[in-house]
């Protein structure tokens, strides 16, 4: 008997509250997978340029979507900070942003812990400067202009750290001035707004729900506690975060095509990026949700995996069939039209799927991959021989995010403006 794997909507509020930080962290770790292969092929400077272009292409688009989902309709720093809290560029705790509001148009933040810095510091000051100066300056502004095109994010201090143990890791001011020139939308973001990922419809939020937050119209809070959110808002947010993965990958692809020697090299690096993050995310998702290593567990991980969803965009479906798992990828979907990750999955190249399966249990293997009714159907079966983790996953695993543990920080507490006198 064939049974469909659970979707986000099939999970409980408790499960979704555990899953959402994992999805945000997974998005951050995409670059730990992709950038290593860029450095190998082109060097540090090209890697930096691709990182700038991918984030500037994707972040204005997905920030616009998240503002709409959350009912964040203001144009001040508080509204901007809310968006940052739901951005794969700033997953909670791993990128431990601490926010301060002076007034509607002035604020600041520090990073008490920057997981990205912890990953890059051992590589030396040149790589730290590339990340914390060259990449951050334009990409922070690209994110900010989704809230207000007169916003500017500027450093107070940032790495390389002097002294070496300086804390917080960095500090930034955020200002919005009415007489300041508006920043333009980056050209790649303009093009990204025309992609189907920018307008795909996801699950609706039940505005009549009484089981928790239905939007983020209230005050900015420290440490979002997702267990306080309604079930329908958690489902929609999980889908949006999965879509953030897809948009960032598309931004990576747009930039990669400018520097690669041809389509073969583009496909090779794009596939390596997906393979690394597919395996690493599958490993963390299985552990976070506490699912088994059997067919039910594999199907659950694949169905909830952000690299293969959201299903409204990719069309990917997963089912358990006895002791096997079947995954179906339609050849016609919004993701296929956009040229997203799913285009890499064929009957000859299923390395990302194998990487995800291996992360659930080394004995899982792709037993078959065939075209059926204009869709690729991939069958997973348990084998006797354990497979080794792929090199692409091992490369991504160098990040401290691979073993990062989230902690319970209590309830959501509103951030009081420093000028309030309270």
């Amino acid at each position: 008997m064939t049974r469909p794997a659970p979707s986000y909507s099939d999970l409980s509020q408790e499960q979704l509250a555990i899953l959402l930080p994992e999805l945000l962290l997974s998005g951050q770790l995409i670059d730990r997978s992709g950038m290593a292969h860029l450095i190998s092929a082109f060097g540090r400077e090209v890697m930096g340029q691709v990182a700038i272009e991918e984030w500037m292409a994707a972040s204005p688009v997905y920030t616009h979507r998240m503002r709409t989902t959350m009912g964040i309709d203001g144009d001040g720093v508080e509204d901007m900070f809310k968006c940052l809290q739901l951005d794969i560029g700033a997953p909670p705790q791993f990128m431990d942003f601490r926010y301060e509001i002076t007034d509607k148009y002035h604020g600041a933040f520090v990073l008490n812990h920057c997981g990205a810095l912890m990953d890059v510091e051992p590589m030396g000051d040149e790589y730290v400067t590339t990340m914390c100066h060259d990449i951050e300056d334009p990409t922070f502004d690209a994110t900010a202009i989704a809230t207000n095109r007169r916003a500017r994010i500027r450093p107070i201090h940032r790495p390389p750290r002097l002294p070496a143990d300086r804390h917080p890791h960095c500090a930034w001011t955020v200002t919005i001035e009415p007489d300041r020139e508006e920043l333009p939308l980056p050209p790649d973001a303009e093009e990204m707004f025309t992609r189907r990922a920018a307008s795909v419809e996801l699950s609706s939020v039940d505005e009549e729900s009484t089981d928790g937050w239905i939007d983020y119209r209230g005050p900015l809070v420290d440490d979002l506690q997702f267990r306080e959110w309604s079930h329908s808002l958690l489902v929609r947010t999980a889908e949006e975060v999965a879509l953030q993965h897809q948009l960032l990958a598309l931004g990576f692809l747009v930039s990669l095509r400018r520097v690669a020697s041809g389509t073969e090299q583009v496909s090779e690096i794009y596939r390596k990026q997906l393979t690394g993050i597919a395996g690493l995310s599958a490993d963390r998702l299985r552990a976070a949700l506490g699912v088994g290593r059997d067919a039910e567990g594999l199907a659950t991980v694949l169905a909830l995996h952000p690299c293969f969803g959201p299903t409204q965009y990719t069309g990917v479906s997963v089912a358990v069939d006895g002791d096997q798992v079947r995954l179906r990828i339609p050849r016609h979907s919004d993701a296929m039209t956009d040229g997203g990750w799913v285009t890499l999955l064929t009957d000859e190249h299923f390395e990302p799927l194998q990487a995800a399966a291996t992360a659930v249990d080394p004995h899982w293997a792709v037993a078959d991959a065939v075209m059926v009714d204009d869709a690729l159907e991939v069958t997973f079966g348990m084998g006797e021989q354990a497979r080794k983790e792929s090199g692409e996953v091992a490369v991504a695993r160098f990040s401290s995010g691979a073993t990062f543990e989230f902690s319970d920080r209590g309830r959501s507490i509103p951030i009081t403006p420093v000028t309030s006198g309270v």
Side-chain angles (χ1 to χ4, degrees):
M1 179 179 178
T2 301
R3 304 182 306 281
S7 65
Y8 294 136
S9 61
D10 293 321
L11 301 184
S12 67
Q13 283 177 279
E14 181 181 2
Q15 289 172 316
L16 287 164
I18 293 170
L19 180 67
L20 199 46
E22 289 291 341
L23 297 180
L24 288 163
L25 178 57
S26 170
Q28 167 68 205
L29 298 179
I30 292 173
D31 272 359
R32 301 307 176 276
S33 180
M35 295 306 160
H37 304 294
L38 289 180
I39 293 169
S40 176
F42 308 113
R44 175 179 55 83
E45 291 185 1
V46 170
M47 177 276 295
Q49 185 58 38
V50 172
I52 291 168
E53 292 176 358
E54 69 164 341
W55 286 96
M56 290 185 72
S59 65
V61 182
Y62 64 63
T63 302
H64 173 77
R65 288 190 59 98
M66 194 63 80
R67 281 173 57 86
T68 302
T69 295
M70 295 292 163
I72 302 171
D73 53 9
D75 65 352
V77 295
E78 180 176 8
D79 306 285
M80 187 191 309
F81 292 163
K82 289 178 179 180
C83 294
L84 280 172
Q85 289 178 320
L86 297 166
D87 190 314
I88 57 175
Q93 300 184 27
F94 185 71
M95 305 291 287
D96 196 13
F97 282 70
R98 302 287 92 188
Y99 299 104
E100 179 180 283
I101 301 172
T102 302
D103 56 41
K104 181 175 181 180
Y105 292 130
H106 298 85
F109 62 82
V110 302
L111 265 76
N112 276 348
H113 176 271
C114 178
L117 177 64
M118 298 297 96
D119 292 345
V120 173
E121 265 190 338
M123 301 170 69
D125 283 355
E126 284 189 340
Y127 279 92
V128 171
T129 300
T130 295
M131 182 180 73
C132 300
H133 295 244
D134 302 342
I135 296 173
E136 291 294 10
D137 285 350
T139 57
F140 262 151
D141 280 350
T143 299
I145 64 174
T147 297
N148 192 316
R149 294 198 181 188
R150 290 187 170 88
R152 302 292 188 274
I153 301 178
R154 295 294 179 263
I156 300 170
H157 70 80
R158 55 179 163 176
R161 292 192 285 170
L162 291 174
D165 60 350
R166 185 169 190 174
H167 190 270
H169 290 167
C170 62
W172 302 74
T173 62
V174 183
T175 60
I176 301 170
E177 303 299 343
D179 57 350
R180 179 183 286 158
E181 182 179 358
E182 290 189 346
L183 288 175
L185 189 67
D188 286 345
E190 287 188 358
E191 193 276 332
M192 200 65 67
F193 268 110
T194 70
R195 301 291 186 98
R196 295 194 178 187
S199 57
V200 62
E201 291 189 14
L202 302 178
S203 298
S204 61
V205 177
D206 181 2
E207 296 182 357
E208 303 299 321
S209 174
T210 59
D211 60 345
W213 293 17
I214 58 170
D215 56 40
Y216 198 179
R217 296 180 188 273
L220 174 72
V221 300
D222 259 339
D223 298 315
L224 283 172
Q225 297 303 318
F226 297 116
R227 61 177 176 268
E228 299 174 2
W229 292 25
S230 70
H231 185 268
S232 66
L233 184 61
L234 287 167
V235 170
R236 173 58 178 269
T237 307
E239 293 171 352
E240 290 288 351
V241 175
L243 194 65
Q244 289 186 19
H245 284 64
Q246 305 293 338
L247 282 161
L248 190 67
L250 289 172
F252 180 86
L253 177 63
V254 167
S255 186
L256 176 60
R257 284 173 171 160
R258 296 187 180 121
V259 299
S261 60
T263 56
E264 186 175 337
Q265 188 179 37
V266 169
S267 295
E268 178 188 8
I269 294 176
Y270 198 32
R271 186 177 293 110
K272 285 181 177 180
Q273 178 201 47
L274 176 56
T275 301
I277 191 59
L280 184 56
S281 292
D283 184 31
R284 288 194 59 95
L285 290 179
R286 186 202 63 77
L289 293 174
V291 299
R293 299 180 182 274
D294 58 3
E296 295 281 355
L298 175 60
T300 298
V301 168
L302 292 175
L304 303 177
H305 202 300
C307 293
F308 310 131
T311 188
Q312 297 96 322
Y313 179 64
T314 65
V316 173
S317 59
V318 186
V320 177
D321 186 0
D323 58 359
Q324 294 184 321
V325 173
R326 302 193 190 280
L327 180 144
R328 186 176 187 274
I329 307 169
R331 293 293 93 181
H332 300 285
S333 67
D334 287 342
M336 285 288 180
T337 300
D338 282 347
W341 272 331
V342 290
T343 62
L344 299 169
L345 304 173
T346 69
D347 54 359
E348 295 182 348
H349 287 290
F350 41 77
E351 297 93 335
L353 294 171
Q354 181 61 65
T358 301
V360 173
D361 188 280
H363 294 88
W364 281 112
V366 173
D368 197 13
V370 295
M371 291 297 299
V372 178
D373 296 331
D374 208 22
L376 179 68
E377 291 198 357
V378 182
T379 302
F380 300 84
M382 270 281 191
E384 294 183 1
Q385 185 175 357
R387 288 176 173 265
K388 292 183 178 180
E389 182 175 82
S390 72
E392 291 86 352
V393 179
V395 166
R397 196 179 287 282
F398 93 90
S399 171
S400 58
T403 56
F404 186 80
E405 295 184 7
F406 293 101
S407 61
D408 186 345
R409 293 188 171 181
R411 64 184 183 85
S412 301
I413 300 175
I415 295 175
T416 304
V418 296
T419 58
S420 69
V422 177

